[in-house]
Amino acid sequence: LSFKASLQQQRSVLKWNIDSPKDLQHFDVQHSADGRTYVNIGRVLPNGSTYAFSYYPPTAGAQYFRLAIHEKNGQHYLSNTEMLTISAAKTDIVGMQHSLVGHQAAVVLWSAKVQPAEATIFNSLGQPIGQYQMQLQRGLQHWNIPISAQPAGLYFLRVQTADGIRKTLRFLKQ
């Protein structure tokens, strides 16, 4: 068994490999915030030799992960423990998926938590021409904002989240 943990955009990514799944019943993925008390956060059935599991820890700080490996004969054992340090999550408005758009403007953002967000479209004279709201989920997401009713030209899109992150993006409508 090879078990490793890595951090990707505030998300813990656990990967492991085994030689053969033939004698295994299941894997319990376990998490701990203190390195002593573990809780099951997922169950993975054996199917092949390579596995991956991702998890958003509920708090920042040291996070510990391990596997409880259960065999068909009733025996079980634990993998090595992997520790990751999670920094406090921060929302990031990454940008536009494309700066030249047709029917919709696609904003790419990473939200630190479930929260409302607001987007306002401005024409090239700085006049607001549309306002949109969205309930963001935690993690990476795309927000598609309809612009098909607008004529071709240069526009600005101001996105603001409830946790105070604000960014103005520029795009060209075809």
Side-chain angles (χ1 to χ4, degrees), residues 3-54:
F3 178 63
K4 299 289 180 201
S6 63
L7 190 60
Q8 295 176 7
Q9 294 182 321
Q10 300 301 106
R11 182 182 74 203
S12 303
V13 177
L14 313 174
K15 294 183 179 181
W16 66 97
N17 296 307
I18 60 171
D19 290 333
S20 169
K22 138 181 138 167
D23 295 327
L24 296 178
Q25 185 176 29
H26 64 270
F27 302 95
D28 283 329
V29 181
Q30 299 183 337
H31 169 257
S32 173
D34 63 10
R36 294 182 303 272
T37 307
Y38 285 84
V39 296
N40 290 343
I41 57 171
R43 178 166 285 181
V44 177
L45 299 176
N47 182 14
S49 60
T50 303
Y51 301 86
F53 185 88
S54 63

Side-chain angles (χ1 to χ4, degrees), residues 89-156:
K90 295 179 184 173
T91 298
D92 181 24
I93 301 166
V94 179
M96 302 287 291
Q97 188 170 10
H98 303 285
S99 59
L100 183 60
V101 299
H103 298 291
Q104 57 188 9
V107 179
V108 180
L109 47 89
W110 194 93
S111 182
K113 60 184 179 179
V114 175
Q115 63 180 317
E118 182 176 282
T120 306
I121 297 177
F122 297 89
N123 63 19
S124 60
L125 300 174
Q127 301 163 322
I129 58 170
Q131 193 166 10
Y132 304 88
Q133 284 84 35
M134 179 179 178
Q135 184 70 17
L136 301 176
Q137 300 302 309
R138 184 175 179 194
L140 187 66
Q141 55 214 288
H142 296 257
W143 183 2
N144 294 319
I145 298 169
I147 59 159
S148 59
Q150 302 304 323
L154 178 65
Y155 293 90
F156 297 91

